[in-house]
Amino acid sequence: MFTTAFPLLLPGIAHGLGTSEFFPQLGEALSNAAYSFGAVAAADLAQRFSQRRLFIIYEAIFIVGSILALFAPGPAAFVLGRILQGLGTGLLLVSALPPLVTNFPAAKLPVTAIWVNIGLFGAVTVGPFVGGLVAHFEAWRALFAGLAVLGIGGFALALATLELQPGDDPGQPIDWLAFPLAIAATALPFFGVTWLGVSSFMSPGFIAPVVLGLAALGALIVMQYRKRQAFIPVGPLFSTFPVCGILAAMVGGATSVTLLELTIAYLTRVAHYDPFMTGLLFLPEFLGLIVAAYLFRHMLATRGLPALALSGLAAIIAGAALLIPLTPARAPFLVPIAAALLGYGSGSAVAPGLFMAGMSVFSTKLGRTFALVELLRAEAAFLVGPVLLSLAVALAPPLGDSLRLSLWATLGIGVFGIAAIVILLALGGVWPRRPDLQEWLERGGRALHSPPLAAFLRSRR
């Protein structure tokens, strides 16, 4: 939630900390980087230690980060607090989500899925409204107090309910090289993109961290693909359905977040809407998510899951097309419709993408699969928007023109995503069958048997 609320809170936070906007932006970027790293770290730790102990520790990290940001007297404490918040959130995601999916019978999974979807994206979709409301009352510290209270509630609930169980594979050797690579793959690109806000594309402060970080990400994926006992199952995911699912999650996450950020920038900096009105216009985004969650529940156990993911990307493209002719006078009509489409698009593209990947591997590897998908989705979601906006500003200096150019580019990314998924499915040579949820959850097999990439072409040779 805080990530999508942040653009509206940024001026107030900078003023409250007595600093420029760079340091809160840095805290937000490194928080997102810590989230991505936390997902990867949790995938490894879940093999070694009890979920109860890990969950309690992760909640404690989140609580400490929230309290530190709440009482931060200056930018250093605030940045550290946001990093701990992001780290705790990423750790909690991979710790909590797989048991929620796998600890219930297959017949319960469609009902679980609707709450998973709302849990993953519900707070994200109401973020702009909460951010506008908090900015209107200049109460950003109260928001952190609320987050700390929620963390304490989760901590108490975990103490009362979670059972002490051993890790999935305590004897698994520690992959000492993977963690430095994961840190570099997350921290460096996010820092570089933040530095772009105070420099240019030719600045070493932007080029070096982004290039080195993306190289580290590539090295991590290749290393996990080639390793026999990899804790991130890249090899099993390198087939048609998982790749399509990961692509849907990456493109859906990147385009929906980018469109939201660009629209907020237009409303606040070009149309000069106040934060509360800006956030209010995005409230229908939550309604779009509810529709997506309802459809996800009913399509999860059918062969139509890829079609749902494609419909989500199509909705995001439609939202981008609506926003391109945006003017201050049209905003009260166009933005709520576009917001509803973005809410539907993020819920229909990302969650189905996660499950297309997860159901293609053994359920015991679900947490590690989610970790990889979340790492790639976060990299795409939080890097594309700032880079597109900065590039557009360099090419079209008036802010309104720059934002419109960025919207066109985002629409193009969405079209590319749909085309790539359709081509990959066609080259796979088979549409997914109805997933066997009992085989996946109760007998330890795969719900979806995915053909190799380009299996159709190989069969014709």
Side-chain angles (χ1 to χ4, degrees), residues 39-214:
V40 174
D44 181 77
L45 294 173
Q47 299 178 98
R48 312 177 192 286
F49 304 104
S50 162
Q51 189 239 357
R52 171 187 166 87
R53 290 173 178 166
L54 290 174
F55 193 93
I56 290 171
I57 292 171
Y58 299 161
E59 279 285 13
I61 292 172
F62 179 82
I63 293 167
V64 170
S66 299
I67 294 173
L68 191 57
L70 166 61
F71 293 108
F78 179 82
V79 170
L80 179 58
R82 288 294 293 134
I83 291 173
L84 291 176
Q85 274 190 319
L87 178 63
T89 304
L91 291 165
L92 284 166
L93 174 74
V94 174
S95 175
L97 189 55
L100 184 63
V101 173
T102 60
N103 286 358
F104 295 95
K108 296 286 187 182
L109 185 57
V111 178
T112 303
I114 191 171
W115 295 109
V116 167
N117 207 340
I118 293 174
L120 283 173
F121 302 106
V124 173
T125 57
V126 299
F129 173 73
V130 172
L133 187 65
V134 170
H136 178 74
F137 289 104
E138 300 180 355
W140 63 269
R141 291 188 187 271
L143 178 58
F144 283 105
L147 293 173
V149 169
L150 289 175
I152 292 170
F155 185 90
L157 190 63
L159 283 175
T161 60
L162 292 183
E163 298 178 357
L164 190 63
Q165 296 177 339
D168 298 331
D169 188 7
Q172 179 81 354
I174 298 175
D175 193 339
W176 294 107
L177 183 57
F179 288 102
L181 286 174
I183 292 173
T186 53
L188 290 177
F190 285 90
F191 173 83
V193 170
T194 305
W195 190 257
L196 186 60
V198 293
S199 63
S200 68
F201 279 98
M202 302 307 296
S203 169
F206 165 71
I207 295 174
V210 170
V211 170
L212 291 174
L214 294 179

Side-chain angles (χ1 to χ4, degrees), residues 3 6 30 32 67 83 179 193 200 211 240 242 253 274 286 326 345 352-353 399-400:
T3 296
F6 179 74
L30 294 182
N32 291 325
I67 294 173
I83 291 173
F179 288 102
V193 170
S200 68
V211 170
T240 300
D274 65 81
F286 182 71
L326 189 64
L399 184 58

Side-chain angles (χ1 to χ4, degrees), residues 227-414:
K227 195 167 186 178
R228 181 171 297 178
Q229 289 184 304
F231 75 91
I232 298 179
V234 176
L237 292 172
F238 202 68
S239 61
T240 300
F241 298 152
V243 170
C244 289
I246 292 171
L247 189 58
M250 290 178 65
V251 174
T255 51
S256 60
V257 170
T258 299
L259 290 171
L260 185 145
E261 291 178 347
L262 294 174
T263 308
I264 289 177
Y266 179 88
L267 293 175
T268 55
R269 296 162 61 183
V270 177
H272 302 294
Y273 277 56
D274 65 81
F276 178 74
M277 180 56 69
T278 299
L280 194 63
L281 292 176
F282 280 96
L283 203 51
E285 189 176 8
F286 182 71
L287 299 178
L289 172 67
I290 295 298
V291 174
Y294 176 81
L295 292 176
F296 183 43
R297 172 191 174 181
H298 289 279
M299 297 184 71
L300 177 62
T302 74
R303 61 198 302 245
L305 204 56
L308 181 62
L310 290 171
S311 77
L313 294 180
I316 293 172
I317 292 170
L322 273 178
L323 292 170
I324 288 172
L326 189 64
T327 64
R330 294 172 180 168
F333 309 101
L334 293 183
V335 173
I337 299 173
L341 289 169
L342 294 182
Y344 173 82
S346 59
S348 295
V350 180
L354 278 171
F355 275 81
M356 281 178 64
M359 290 191 297
S360 300
V361 301
F362 300 130
S363 58
T364 53
K365 297 182 178 181
L366 185 61
R368 289 174 274 170
T369 300
F370 281 176
L372 176 63
V373 178
E374 281 299 294
L375 170 64
L376 296 175
R377 183 188 70 83
E379 291 271 353
F382 299 114
L383 292 179
V384 170
V387 171
L388 279 183
L389 180 57
S390 298
L391 181 61
V393 168
L395 296 175
L399 184 58
D401 294 342
S402 301
L403 292 169
R404 192 163 285 109
L405 184 59
S406 299
L407 289 170
W408 274 110
T410 308
L411 187 151
I413 292 173

